[in-house]
Amino acid sequence: METNETVSASNPVLPIGYSLVPKGKLANAVTCLEMRERPAGAASGERPDLSLERMSMPDIATYRQLFRAIGEEWMWVSRLVMSDEELTATLGDPKIEVHVLFSGGKPSGMLELDFRQAGECELVFFGVANDMIGTGAGRHLINQVLSIAWAHPIERLWLHTCHFDHPNALTFYRRSGFTPYAFMVEVADDPRVTGVLPRTVAPHIPIIE
């Protein structure tokens, strides 16, 4: 979920065939998806047991705690390695929206939308707590994304998912109306090796040192 979609000299096209990944690094297979209009019939729906609240100016400690709770098992790391100053500036941008899903008064999910590109919205982060997976909370939350994003004057809503995410993530996004348009590979430090994340998280992804 954290790969820039621009291909450049620093992000070249990979050669055909196998490419060796150095030990201590991870190769992340990314699928980029988009939608050009809100799907017909998409509705926010009602879930009296769930509520969504926007963080007007997120406290970075609270934000990082939620970020870890939702994304640690799926290797979300970019916000954890940002400096306090950079993260404060990012979250303080009026064109960045962070919304928190509550269940029984407990933070149980989050979404982050980036409207800084004119006419577009990136769904930067999206997820629910592990105990909410399979309850319909994710479906409710993505419907909220569609309602919020398409209430703005945009022509494109996009995101990226990867093989670090829940195994049903790609199918979920496609059923929600997103269409795949590109594949990317990101090579980065394994955050469990660098100590950013505990070594016990994301056991579905092996550590190679």
Side-chain angles (χ1 to χ4, degrees):
M1 294 190 64
E2 301 170 297
T3 301
N4 191 300
E5 65 174 347
T6 302
V7 177
S8 65
S10 61
N11 185 20
V13 176
L14 287 175
I16 301 300
Y18 291 100
S19 297
L20 184 64
V21 176
K23 293 182 178 181
K25 309 291 184 181
L26 292 173
N28 186 4
V30 178
T31 302
C32 301
L33 304 99
E34 66 180 2
M35 63 169 63
R36 296 285 179 168
E37 60 183 9
R38 185 177 180 180
S44 59
E46 294 296 330
R47 283 287 301 264
D49 56 321
L50 301 175
S51 62
L52 192 69
E53 297 182 14
R54 181 179 177 183
M55 288 183 169
S56 56
M57 178 52 214
D59 170 76
I60 60 172
T62 301
Y63 173 91
R64 284 194 175 119
Q65 182 178 24
L66 178 63
F67 186 90
R68 281 185 177 273
I70 303 301
E72 198 169 66
E73 286 297 326
W74 315 114
M75 303 291 278
W76 292 11
V77 70
S78 65
R79 297 303 197 224
L80 303 180
V81 297
M82 292 176 92
S83 69
D84 290 354
E85 293 76 17
E86 185 180 3
L87 182 57
T88 298
T90 298
L91 299 180
D93 192 307
K95 293 184 178 180
I96 299 287
E97 296 188 12
V98 179
H99 299 259
V100 182
L101 182 73
F102 288 89
S103 174
K106 172 186 173 184
S108 299
M110 69 174 292
L111 64 92
E112 185 173 326
L113 300 171
D114 185 342
F115 293 96
R116 289 178 294 182
Q117 181 68 37
E120 296 191 359
C121 174
E122 179 188 1
L123 176 54
V124 187
F125 298 108
F126 173 92
V128 298
N130 285 342
D131 61 354
M132 299 299 290
I133 294 174
T135 67
R139 174 56 53 197
H140 176 77
L141 191 58
I142 197 66
N143 287 339
Q144 301 301 313
V145 168
L146 299 182
S147 293
I148 296 169
W150 288 107
H152 291 71
I154 62 170
E155 299 174 354
R156 177 178 182 245
L157 172 62
W158 70 279
L159 60 88
H160 41 254
T161 186
C162 67
H163 79 283
F164 293 168
D165 286 338
H166 189 282
N168 295 333
L170 182 56
T171 299
F172 173 84
Y173 289 126
R174 296 183 73 175
R175 287 179 176 172
S176 301
F178 290 91
T179 300
Y181 68 91
F183 295 123
M184 293 188 181
V185 175
E186 176 189 27
V187 177
D189 292 331
D190 188 329
R192 299 164 300 180
V193 173
T194 61
V196 175
L197 294 180
R199 294 180 67 89
T200 54
V201 305
H204 59 295
I205 305 167
I207 298 175
I208 299 178
E209 296 182 273

